[in-house]
Amino acid sequence: MLNQNYMGTYMERQVNKYRYERKFLIEKNKLSSFIGAIISKGFFEIHNERRINNIYLDNILSDSVYENIEGLSNRNKYRIRWYGGEFDFAEKVLEIKIKNEFLNKKEKINISKAKLDDLTEINNHVVHLKNNLSTKNKSFYLKIFNLHPSLLNSYSRRYFYCSFLNIRLTLDYNLKFYSPVTKAQYHEKKIIIEVKYDKDIEFVNDFPDLQLSRYSKYVKGYLSTYFSSNVY
């Protein structure tokens, strides 16, 4: 049985806290053996699989994209996230992911429950959410008031945790990307593994199939829907 209460407690502890995040890529045909390997090392599933949706926000110069490509040590990424289907009536959350050297932390605030009616309505949907946020929390609103939707992505996620190592691991797959600017779509074939742990913990990758990567869902989706997917 999945430990849902533990998942909620763990997530609460991670907000506004710097931690390491390491990303790895794996082919779909190696997924079953990888899951078997992590379970044998003490990882267990802590939440039901769920669908995650994000609308990334950027300025007209796409600074968030190019700061990532250039490898800037200190940068922010802005997105509106919700769980379930893309067009579900769901709680929309503004998340600001803050990178400082190799460490990351996240600030977030619930905006309101709302429904995206259609992919063509992304811009109007974000305007509506911004208006709600402006009356709810002015300081968060001012951080995004001049940013615009640049990408929608969605993917399925499974959550694992190793309690004696205090390491969280997530598997992301069936990634879809849509650009509200070019209207192009892209589907990622590989599985993205994220390993997350506190800055005082050392993670040793002894899984032979894992390839360390600088993979960014936002950058991959942006370049694959604006330009050729071979760029990144």
Short mmCIF file of all heavy atoms in Angstrom, two decimals, residues 146-185:
data_model
loop_
_atom_site.label_atom_id
_atom_site.label_comp_id
_atom_site.label_asym_id
_atom_site.label_seq_id
_atom_site.Cartn_x
_atom_site.Cartn_y
_atom_site.Cartn_z
N ASN A 146 4.96 40.34 -16.34
CA ASN A 146 5.43 40.62 -17.69
C ASN A 146 5.90 39.36 -18.42
O ASN A 146 6.56 39.44 -19.46
CB ASN A 146 6.58 41.64 -17.66
CG ASN A 146 7.80 41.11 -16.91
OD1 ASN A 146 7.68 40.18 -16.11
ND2 ASN A 146 8.96 41.69 -17.17
N LEU A 147 5.56 38.18 -17.88
CA LEU A 147 5.92 36.92 -18.53
C LEU A 147 4.72 36.36 -19.28
O LEU A 147 3.58 36.63 -18.93
CB LEU A 147 6.41 35.90 -17.49
CG LEU A 147 7.59 36.34 -16.61
CD1 LEU A 147 7.98 35.21 -15.65
CD2 LEU A 147 8.78 36.76 -17.46
N HIS A 148 5.01 35.56 -20.30
CA HIS A 148 3.96 35.05 -21.19
C HIS A 148 4.10 33.54 -21.36
O HIS A 148 5.19 32.99 -21.22
CB HIS A 148 4.04 35.74 -22.54
CG HIS A 148 4.11 37.24 -22.45
ND1 HIS A 148 3.00 38.01 -22.21
CD2 HIS A 148 5.16 38.10 -22.53
CE1 HIS A 148 3.35 39.29 -22.17
NE2 HIS A 148 4.66 39.36 -22.36
N PRO A 149 3.01 32.85 -21.69
CA PRO A 149 3.10 31.40 -21.90
C PRO A 149 4.00 31.06 -23.08
O PRO A 149 3.84 31.63 -24.16
CB PRO A 149 1.64 31.00 -22.19
CG PRO A 149 0.81 32.13 -21.70
CD PRO A 149 1.63 33.36 -21.84
N SER A 150 4.94 30.17 -22.86
CA SER A 150 5.85 29.79 -23.93
C SER A 150 5.80 28.30 -24.26
O SER A 150 6.26 27.88 -25.33
CB SER A 150 7.29 30.18 -23.57
OG SER A 150 7.66 29.59 -22.34
N LEU A 151 5.25 27.49 -23.34
CA LEU A 151 5.20 26.04 -23.58
C LEU A 151 4.23 25.39 -22.61
O LEU A 151 4.15 25.78 -21.45
CB LEU A 151 6.60 25.43 -23.39
CG LEU A 151 6.74 23.95 -23.70
CD1 LEU A 151 6.77 23.73 -25.21
CD2 LEU A 151 8.01 23.37 -23.07
N LEU A 152 3.50 24.40 -23.11
CA LEU A 152 2.70 23.51 -22.27
C LEU A 152 3.30 22.13 -22.34
O LEU A 152 3.61 21.65 -23.44
CB LEU A 152 1.24 23.48 -22.74
CG LEU A 152 0.36 22.38 -22.13
CD1 LEU A 152 0.05 22.68 -20.67
CD2 LEU A 152 -0.93 22.21 -22.91
N ASN A 153 3.51 21.51 -21.20
CA ASN A 153 3.92 20.10 -21.25
C ASN A 153 3.12 19.30 -20.24
O ASN A 153 2.57 19.83 -19.28
CB ASN A 153 5.44 19.94 -21.04
CG ASN A 153 5.85 19.90 -19.59
OD1 ASN A 153 5.20 20.44 -18.72
ND2 ASN A 153 6.98 19.27 -19.32
N SER A 154 3.05 18.01 -20.48
CA SER A 154 2.37 17.10 -19.56
C SER A 154 3.09 15.76 -19.61
O SER A 154 3.65 15.38 -20.64
CB SER A 154 0.89 16.95 -19.91
OG SER A 154 0.73 16.37 -21.19
N TYR A 155 3.05 15.06 -18.47
CA TYR A 155 3.73 13.76 -18.40
C TYR A 155 3.19 12.98 -17.21
O TYR A 155 2.57 13.54 -16.29
CB TYR A 155 5.25 13.94 -18.27
CG TYR A 155 5.69 14.89 -17.19
CD1 TYR A 155 5.98 14.45 -15.90
CD2 TYR A 155 5.84 16.25 -17.45
CE1 TYR A 155 6.39 15.33 -14.92
CE2 TYR A 155 6.25 17.14 -16.48
CZ TYR A 155 6.52 16.67 -15.21
OH TYR A 155 6.93 17.56 -14.24
N SER A 156 3.43 11.69 -17.23
CA SER A 156 3.07 10.81 -16.13
C SER A 156 4.26 10.67 -15.20
O SER A 156 5.41 10.60 -15.67
CB SER A 156 2.64 9.44 -16.64
OG SER A 156 1.49 9.55 -17.46
N ARG A 157 4.01 10.61 -13.90
CA ARG A 157 5.10 10.53 -12.92
C ARG A 157 4.81 9.44 -11.88
O ARG A 157 3.69 9.30 -11.40
CB ARG A 157 5.31 11.87 -12.23
CG ARG A 157 6.24 11.83 -11.02
CD ARG A 157 6.65 13.20 -10.55
NE ARG A 157 7.67 13.78 -11.42
CZ ARG A 157 8.29 14.94 -11.19
NH1 ARG A 157 7.96 15.66 -10.13
NH2 ARG A 157 9.21 15.39 -12.03
N ARG A 158 5.86 8.69 -11.54
CA ARG A 158 5.84 7.75 -10.42
C ARG A 158 6.88 8.20 -9.40
O ARG A 158 7.94 8.72 -9.76
CB ARG A 158 6.14 6.32 -10.89
CG ARG A 158 5.04 5.76 -11.78
CD ARG A 158 5.38 4.36 -12.27
NE ARG A 158 5.40 3.38 -11.18
CZ ARG A 158 5.68 2.08 -11.36
NH1 ARG A 158 5.96 1.63 -12.57
NH2 ARG A 158 5.68 1.25 -10.32
N TYR A 159 6.55 8.01 -8.11
CA TYR A 159 7.36 8.54 -7.02
C TYR A 159 7.93 7.41 -6.16
O TYR A 159 7.18 6.54 -5.70
CB TYR A 159 6.51 9.42 -6.11
CG TYR A 159 5.81 10.58 -6.79
CD1 TYR A 159 4.63 10.40 -7.49
CD2 TYR A 159 6.32 11.87 -6.71
CE1 TYR A 159 3.98 11.46 -8.09
CE2 TYR A 159 5.67 12.95 -7.30
CZ TYR A 159 4.50 12.73 -8.00
OH TYR A 159 3.85 13.79 -8.58
N PHE A 160 9.24 7.44 -5.93
CA PHE A 160 9.89 6.45 -5.08
C PHE A 160 10.73 7.17 -4.02
O PHE A 160 11.19 8.29 -4.23
CB PHE A 160 10.79 5.54 -5.92
CG PHE A 160 10.04 4.67 -6.90
CD1 PHE A 160 9.69 5.16 -8.15
CD2 PHE A 160 9.70 3.36 -6.57
CE1 PHE A 160 9.00 4.37 -9.05
CE2 PHE A 160 9.01 2.57 -7.48
CZ PHE A 160 8.66 3.06 -8.71
N TYR A 161 10.95 6.47 -2.92
CA TYR A 161 11.74 7.05 -1.82
C TYR A 161 12.52 5.95 -1.12
O TYR A 161 12.03 4.82 -0.95
CB TYR A 161 10.82 7.75 -0.83
CG TYR A 161 11.55 8.42 0.31
CD1 TYR A 161 12.35 9.54 0.10
CD2 TYR A 161 11.45 7.92 1.60
CE1 TYR A 161 13.03 10.14 1.15
CE2 TYR A 161 12.12 8.51 2.66
CZ TYR A 161 12.91 9.63 2.42
OH TYR A 161 13.57 10.22 3.46
N CYS A 162 13.74 6.29 -0.71
CA CYS A 162 14.55 5.40 0.12
C CYS A 162 14.73 6.09 1.47
O CYS A 162 15.41 7.12 1.55
CB CYS A 162 15.89 5.12 -0.55
SG CYS A 162 16.95 4.01 0.41
N SER A 163 14.14 5.54 2.50
CA SER A 163 14.12 6.22 3.80
C SER A 163 15.48 6.25 4.47
O SER A 163 15.85 7.25 5.08
CB SER A 163 13.08 5.57 4.72
OG SER A 163 13.34 4.18 4.85
N PHE A 164 16.27 5.17 4.36
CA PHE A 164 17.54 5.18 5.08
C PHE A 164 18.60 6.01 4.35
O PHE A 164 19.58 6.46 4.96
CB PHE A 164 18.05 3.75 5.36
CG PHE A 164 18.40 2.95 4.14
CD1 PHE A 164 19.67 3.01 3.58
CD2 PHE A 164 17.46 2.10 3.57
CE1 PHE A 164 20.00 2.25 2.48
CE2 PHE A 164 17.78 1.35 2.45
CZ PHE A 164 19.05 1.42 1.90
N LEU A 165 18.41 6.27 3.05
CA LEU A 165 19.30 7.18 2.33
C LEU A 165 18.73 8.60 2.28
O LEU A 165 19.45 9.54 1.95
CB LEU A 165 19.53 6.68 0.90
CG LEU A 165 20.29 5.37 0.73
CD1 LEU A 165 20.34 4.97 -0.75
CD2 LEU A 165 21.70 5.49 1.29
N ASN A 166 17.43 8.73 2.56
CA ASN A 166 16.72 10.01 2.46
C ASN A 166 16.86 10.60 1.06
O ASN A 166 17.21 11.77 0.88
CB ASN A 166 17.21 11.01 3.51
CG ASN A 166 16.29 12.21 3.62
OD1 ASN A 166 15.11 12.15 3.25
ND2 ASN A 166 16.82 13.32 4.10
N ILE A 167 16.59 9.76 0.06
CA ILE A 167 16.68 10.15 -1.34
C ILE A 167 15.35 9.86 -2.01
O ILE A 167 14.78 8.79 -1.87
CB ILE A 167 17.81 9.40 -2.06
CG1 ILE A 167 19.17 9.83 -1.50
CG2 ILE A 167 17.77 9.64 -3.57
CD1 ILE A 167 20.35 9.05 -2.06
N ARG A 168 14.85 10.86 -2.75
CA ARG A 168 13.62 10.71 -3.52
C ARG A 168 13.97 10.53 -4.99
O ARG A 168 14.89 11.18 -5.50
CB ARG A 168 12.74 11.93 -3.32
CG ARG A 168 11.42 11.87 -4.09
CD ARG A 168 10.63 13.14 -3.85
NE ARG A 168 9.54 13.25 -4.82
CZ ARG A 168 9.12 14.37 -5.35
NH1 ARG A 168 9.71 15.50 -5.03
NH2 ARG A 168 8.12 14.39 -6.21
N LEU A 169 13.23 9.68 -5.66
CA LEU A 169 13.46 9.40 -7.08
C LEU A 169 12.13 9.41 -7.81
O LEU A 169 11.16 8.80 -7.34
CB LEU A 169 14.17 8.05 -7.22
CG LEU A 169 14.60 7.59 -8.60
CD1 LEU A 169 15.84 6.69 -8.48
CD2 LEU A 169 13.50 6.82 -9.32
N THR A 170 12.06 10.10 -8.93
CA THR A 170 10.83 10.13 -9.72
C THR A 170 11.11 9.65 -11.13
O THR A 170 12.20 9.86 -11.68
CB THR A 170 10.22 11.54 -9.77
OG1 THR A 170 11.18 12.47 -10.29
CG2 THR A 170 9.77 11.99 -8.39
N LEU A 171 10.11 9.00 -11.72
CA LEU A 171 10.16 8.54 -13.11
C LEU A 171 9.12 9.31 -13.91
O LEU A 171 7.93 9.28 -13.58
CB LEU A 171 9.85 7.05 -13.20
CG LEU A 171 10.68 6.08 -12.35
CD1 LEU A 171 10.17 4.67 -12.53
CD2 LEU A 171 12.14 6.17 -12.74
N ASP A 172 9.54 10.01 -14.96
CA ASP A 172 8.65 10.78 -15.81
C ASP A 172 8.65 10.19 -17.21
O ASP A 172 9.71 9.96 -17.80
CB ASP A 172 9.09 12.25 -15.88
CG ASP A 172 9.04 12.93 -14.53
OD1 ASP A 172 8.31 12.45 -13.64
OD2 ASP A 172 9.75 13.94 -14.36
N TYR A 173 7.46 9.96 -17.76
CA TYR A 173 7.37 9.33 -19.07
C TYR A 173 6.09 9.77 -19.78
O TYR A 173 5.24 10.46 -19.18
CB TYR A 173 7.42 7.80 -18.94
CG TYR A 173 6.44 7.23 -17.95
CD1 TYR A 173 5.21 6.75 -18.34
CD2 TYR A 173 6.75 7.21 -16.59
CE1 TYR A 173 4.31 6.24 -17.42
CE2 TYR A 173 5.86 6.71 -15.67
CZ TYR A 173 4.64 6.22 -16.08
OH TYR A 173 3.74 5.74 -15.16
N ASN A 174 5.97 9.40 -21.04
CA ASN A 174 4.86 9.87 -21.88
C ASN A 174 4.80 11.40 -21.88
O ASN A 174 3.74 12.00 -21.67
CB ASN A 174 3.52 9.28 -21.41
CG ASN A 174 3.46 7.77 -21.57
OD1 ASN A 174 4.12 7.21 -22.44
ND2 ASN A 174 2.68 7.11 -20.74
N LEU A 175 5.96 12.02 -22.11
CA LEU A 175 6.04 13.48 -22.13
C LEU A 175 5.50 14.03 -23.44
O LEU A 175 5.90 13.59 -24.53
CB LEU A 175 7.48 13.95 -21.95
CG LEU A 175 8.06 13.90 -20.53
CD1 LEU A 175 8.50 12.50 -20.16
CD2 LEU A 175 9.24 14.85 -20.42
N LYS A 176 4.62 15.03 -23.32
CA LYS A 176 4.08 15.74 -24.48
C LYS A 176 4.34 17.23 -24.32
O LYS A 176 4.24 17.76 -23.22
CB LYS A 176 2.57 15.51 -24.61
CG LYS A 176 2.14 14.06 -24.81
CD LYS A 176 0.67 13.98 -25.21
CE LYS A 176 -0.23 14.72 -24.25
NZ LYS A 176 -1.66 14.65 -24.62
N PHE A 177 4.65 17.88 -25.44
CA PHE A 177 4.92 19.31 -25.43
C PHE A 177 4.09 19.99 -26.52
O PHE A 177 3.91 19.44 -27.60
CB PHE A 177 6.41 19.59 -25.70
CG PHE A 177 7.35 18.95 -24.73
CD1 PHE A 177 7.87 17.69 -24.97
CD2 PHE A 177 7.72 19.60 -23.56
CE1 PHE A 177 8.74 17.10 -24.07
CE2 PHE A 177 8.59 19.02 -22.66
CZ PHE A 177 9.10 17.76 -22.92
N TYR A 178 3.62 21.19 -26.20
CA TYR A 178 2.86 21.98 -27.17
C TYR A 178 3.27 23.44 -27.03
O TYR A 178 3.33 23.98 -25.91
CB TYR A 178 1.35 21.85 -26.92
CG TYR A 178 0.52 22.80 -27.73
CD1 TYR A 178 0.22 22.54 -29.07
CD2 TYR A 178 0.04 23.99 -27.17
CE1 TYR A 178 -0.54 23.43 -29.82
CE2 TYR A 178 -0.72 24.88 -27.92
CZ TYR A 178 -1.00 24.58 -29.24
OH TYR A 178 -1.74 25.47 -29.99
N SER A 179 3.56 24.09 -28.16
CA SER A 179 3.91 25.51 -28.14
C SER A 179 2.69 26.36 -28.46
O SER A 179 2.10 26.20 -29.54
CB SER A 179 5.01 25.80 -29.18
OG SER A 179 5.14 27.20 -29.37
N PRO A 180 2.31 27.26 -27.57
CA PRO A 180 1.20 28.17 -27.87
C PRO A 180 1.59 29.23 -28.90
O PRO A 180 0.73 29.96 -29.38
CB PRO A 180 0.88 28.81 -26.52
CG PRO A 180 2.15 28.73 -25.76
CD PRO A 180 2.84 27.48 -26.22
N VAL A 181 2.87 29.30 -29.24
CA VAL A 181 3.36 30.28 -30.22
C VAL A 181 3.38 29.68 -31.63
O VAL A 181 2.78 30.22 -32.56
CB VAL A 181 4.76 30.79 -29.83
CG1 VAL A 181 5.27 31.79 -30.88
CG2 VAL A 181 4.73 31.42 -28.45
N THR A 182 4.05 28.53 -31.80
CA THR A 182 4.17 27.92 -33.13
C THR A 182 3.08 26.90 -33.41
O THR A 182 2.93 26.45 -34.54
CB THR A 182 5.53 27.22 -33.26
OG1 THR A 182 5.57 26.09 -32.36
CG2 THR A 182 6.67 28.17 -32.94
N LYS A 183 2.36 26.46 -32.36
CA LYS A 183 1.32 25.43 -32.43
C LYS A 183 1.90 24.04 -32.71
O LYS A 183 1.15 23.09 -32.98
CB LYS A 183 0.25 25.74 -33.50
CG LYS A 183 -0.24 27.18 -33.49
CD LYS A 183 -0.77 27.63 -32.16
CE LYS A 183 -1.26 29.08 -32.20
NZ LYS A 183 -1.60 29.60 -30.87
N ALA A 184 3.19 23.90 -32.67
CA ALA A 184 3.84 22.61 -32.91
C ALA A 184 3.78 21.74 -31.66
O ALA A 184 3.70 22.25 -30.53
CB ALA A 184 5.29 22.82 -33.34
N GLN A 185 3.86 20.42 -31.86
CA GLN A 185 3.86 19.48 -30.77
C GLN A 185 5.07 18.56 -30.87
O GLN A 185 5.64 18.36 -31.94
CB GLN A 185 2.58 18.63 -30.78
CG GLN A 185 1.31 19.47 -30.62
CD GLN A 185 0.08 18.62 -30.39
OE1 GLN A 185 0.12 17.64 -29.65
NE2 GLN A 185 -1.02 19.00 -31.01
#
